[in-house]
Amino acid sequence: MSATELIALFVATGRLHGVGIGSTLGDVQREIDSAFVDVVDAGGDSMRRDYGFIEFYFNSGQEWTVSGGAIELHRLAVRADLALRWRDAMRDEFPCYLAWEELLAEFSKRPDRPALEVIDQGDFLEYRASESKVSVLVNNDNEKRDEWLGHGDVWSVSLG
């Protein structure tokens, strides 16, 4: 699946490869088959599972459950190897850059798409889908894309 299709689905549903808020650690392990690093906070109350540019956040309880997550697309501009590693494991093709216009066009094709609220954050615009609890952060500075993201590029997509 292309990154654009995958992210549009994520924004619409709040689920990435079937994983969303409330999913258990076991659910994540069944659905996401890629190398990762787990970082547990000092108190053992929360954990971050880091796949390089994709992360899931967990709260403890009877079992670890997903409380949020993020696709940190800005990392791919300088670390294309992260996208290659994910592609080899999950078969999703992530580009080094993703323009908001491209993602919005794909998102707009979805009949189940929630409404997006636009929040000006200065150098970023946040497109928030409250229904799915997903936000897309888009670069809103006046810089042109070069080796780093430029105006209109997606910085990150966050769940929570």
Side-chain angles (χ1 to χ4, degrees), residues 6-7 9-23 27 56 132 134 159:
L6 184 69
I7 295 170
L9 179 62
F10 183 45
V11 174
T13 65
R15 304 192 79 70
L16 181 68
H17 283 289
V19 175
I21 292 174
S23 295
D27 296 334
F56 288 104
S132 63
V134 176
L159 170 65

Side-chain angles (χ1 to χ4, degrees), residues 25-84:
L25 184 57
D27 296 334
V28 175
Q29 290 174 179
R30 277 188 296 281
E31 300 300 328
I32 310 292
D33 184 23
S34 186
F36 61 86
V37 173
D38 283 339
V39 180
V40 180
D41 77 329
D45 296 328
S46 64
M47 179 176 72
R48 176 175 52 90
R49 177 161 283 185
D50 188 341
Y51 294 95
F53 70 101
I54 295 177
E55 301 176 342
F56 288 104
Y57 314 120
F58 297 83
N59 289 333
S60 65
Q62 290 185 337
E63 61 184 317
W64 291 106
T65 57
V66 173
S67 60
I71 304 172
E72 303 288 351
L73 290 170
H74 63 275
R75 293 181 185 171
L76 299 179
V78 293
R79 293 283 315 271
D81 62 302
L82 297 173
L84 295 175

Side-chain angles (χ1 to χ4, degrees), residues 1-159:
M1 179 180 295
S2 78
T4 309
E5 293 168 315
L6 184 69
I7 295 170
L9 179 62
F10 183 45
V11 174
T13 65
R15 304 192 79 70
L16 181 68
H17 283 289
V19 175
I21 292 174
S23 295
T24 65
L25 184 57
D27 296 334
V28 175
Q29 290 174 179
R30 277 188 296 281
E31 300 300 328
I32 310 292
D33 184 23
S34 186
F36 61 86
V37 173
D38 283 339
V39 180
V40 180
D41 77 329
D45 296 328
S46 64
M47 179 176 72
R48 176 175 52 90
R49 177 161 283 185
D50 188 341
Y51 294 95
F53 70 101
I54 295 177
E55 301 176 342
F56 288 104
Y57 314 120
F58 297 83
N59 289 333
S60 65
Q62 290 185 337
E63 61 184 317
W64 291 106
T65 57
V66 173
S67 60
I71 304 172
E72 303 288 351
L73 290 170
H74 63 275
R75 293 181 185 171
L76 299 179
V78 293
R79 293 283 315 271
D81 62 302
L82 297 173
L84 295 175
R85 189 175 71 194
W86 182 267
R87 183 200 65 206
D88 291 346
M90 298 297 296
R91 297 185 188 90
D92 301 320
E93 295 280 347
F94 279 87
C96 291
Y97 306 95
L98 177 61
W100 167 243
E101 288 179 0
E102 184 181 341
L103 178 56
L104 182 60
E106 186 66 37
F107 177 75
S108 296
K109 294 177 187 176
R110 299 200 56 82
D112 60 344
R113 69 184 179 275
L116 296 174
E117 175 187 4
V118 182
I119 303 162
D120 188 342
Q121 306 229 358
D123 284 345
F124 294 94
L125 290 175
E126 177 184 358
Y127 294 87
R128 175 87 178 147
S130 295
E131 187 177 317
S132 63
K133 298 178 176 63
V134 176
S135 289
V136 180
L137 207 56
V138 177
N139 192 345
N140 193 37
D141 64 16
N142 293 317
E143 300 296 319
K144 291 183 180 177
R145 183 189 294 166
D146 50 24
E147 69 273 357
W148 194 240
L149 280 69
H151 180 81
D153 284 329
V154 176
W155 180 266
S156 64
V157 185
S158 301
L159 170 65

